[in-house]
C-alpha cells in the first residue's frame, strides 16, 4: 500500500540545508520514492503553522519508505538536514483503493 511522507520544517542553516537538497533527489529516486511537493511558501488556509517549508513524498509501501530512510546513502545526507532544520516528519498510509 502506498505511503506518504510529509515533512514540515523550519530552516536555520540555509547553506547546510542546500547541501542536503543538492544530494536528495538521486537518493530518493534510487529507492523509488517520488517527490510530490516541496514548497517554502505554502498557503496556510486555516490555523497557524510554525514552519517554513513542506515536503510531500510517496513510496510504494512502508517497507520501501523504511529502506530509503534507513539506507546508508540517506543517513549520510540527512545529517545536513537534521543539523540545518527543526521540524517533524510524518508517514501516513494511503486511503485503501486510492492511487
Amino acid at each position: 500500500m502506498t505511503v506518504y511522507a510529509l515533512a514540515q520544517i523550519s530552516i536555520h542553516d540555509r547553506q547546510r540545508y542546500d547541501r542536503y537538497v543538492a544530494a536528495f533527489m538521486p537518493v530518493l529516486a534510487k529507492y523509488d520514492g517520488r517527490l510530490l511537493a516541496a514548497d517554502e511558501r505554502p498557503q496556510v488556509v486555516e490555523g497557524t503553522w510554525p514552519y517554513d517549508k513542506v515536503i510531500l513524498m510517496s513510496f510504494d509501501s512502508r517497507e520501501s519508505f523504511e529502506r530509503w530512510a534507513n539506507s546508508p546513502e540517506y543517513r549520510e545526507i540527512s545529517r545536513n538536514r537534521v543539523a540545518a532544520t527543526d521540524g517533524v516528519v510524518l508517514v501516513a498510509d494511503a486511503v485503501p483503493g486510492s492511487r
Side-chain angles (χ1 to χ4, degrees), residues 73-98:
E73 300 93 338
Y74 186 69
R75 292 175 70 85
E76 176 67 27
I77 69 169
S78 70
R79 288 185 212 158
N80 283 322
R81 178 191 51 81
V82 170
T85 66
D86 295 307
V88 298
V89 178
L90 308 167
V91 178
D93 292 330
V95 173
S98 68

Side-chain angles (χ1 to χ4, degrees), residues 3-58:
V3 298
Y4 297 98
L6 175 68
Q8 300 177 66
I9 61 172
S10 291
I11 303 163
H12 54 78
D13 183 338
R14 174 56 70 172
Q15 187 175 38
R16 199 151 182 196
Y17 182 71
D18 287 347
R19 285 198 303 266
Y20 165 76
V21 169
F24 178 82
M25 287 305 296
V27 176
L28 184 67
K30 180 177 180 178
Y31 289 90
D32 299 322
R34 291 171 301 283
L35 182 63
L36 304 177
D39 192 344
E40 288 195 31
R41 291 185 173 53
Q43 179 183 2
V44 177
V45 177
E46 189 173 314
T48 57
W49 189 65
Y51 301 106
D52 299 328
K53 184 173 184 175
V54 62
I55 304 100
L56 178 63
M57 299 164 282
S58 70

